[in-house]
Amino acid sequence: MKTLCTSLAIGLIVASAAPVRAASPPPPGAASCSGCHAATSQAIPNIYGRDADATRSTLLAFRNGSMPATVMTRIAKGFSEDEIGSIAAWLATQK
């Protein structure tokens, strides 16, 4: 009985917890952004909920080298223009 009550309590807590991000699944590559761009990070900018066009422009600038960076230049070069657009659009929907 104790195990059942504990299981029900845990299930109720999990079910009532507010989701951190929107329910739509991220496009390939977008899920890894949270590794550095966590909502609580103060050193690295929050990119969630940012305008999609601004994010897309920034990623394209990293990719073509006009905005130099240590890590983001290498990451952005791994994505096509369409993939960058999908990632930027998804990130814009996240709060």
Side-chain angles (χ1 to χ4, degrees):
M1 183 69 171
K2 183 178 179 181
T3 303
L4 177 62
C5 289
T6 302
S7 295
L8 288 174
I10 291 171
L12 180 61
I13 291 168
V14 170
S16 65
V20 175
R21 302 276 180 238
S24 66
S32 63
C33 298
S34 65
C36 297
H37 293 278
T40 57
S41 174
Q42 293 181 7
I44 298 173
N46 181 6
I47 56 174
Y48 298 96
R50 185 174 179 228
D51 178 69
D53 289 334
T55 300
R56 183 178 175 279
S57 295
T58 301
L59 286 170
L60 290 172
F62 283 134
R63 192 177 82 161
N64 70 26
S66 64
M67 183 180 283
T70 306
V71 176
M72 282 306 303
T73 301
R74 290 181 274 166
I75 292 171
K77 284 182 180 180
F79 295 114
S80 70
E81 200 164 324
D82 288 340
E83 289 169 325
I84 286 174
S86 295
I87 291 168
W90 181 81
L91 287 170
T93 67
Q94 306 305 297
K95 302 294 180 213

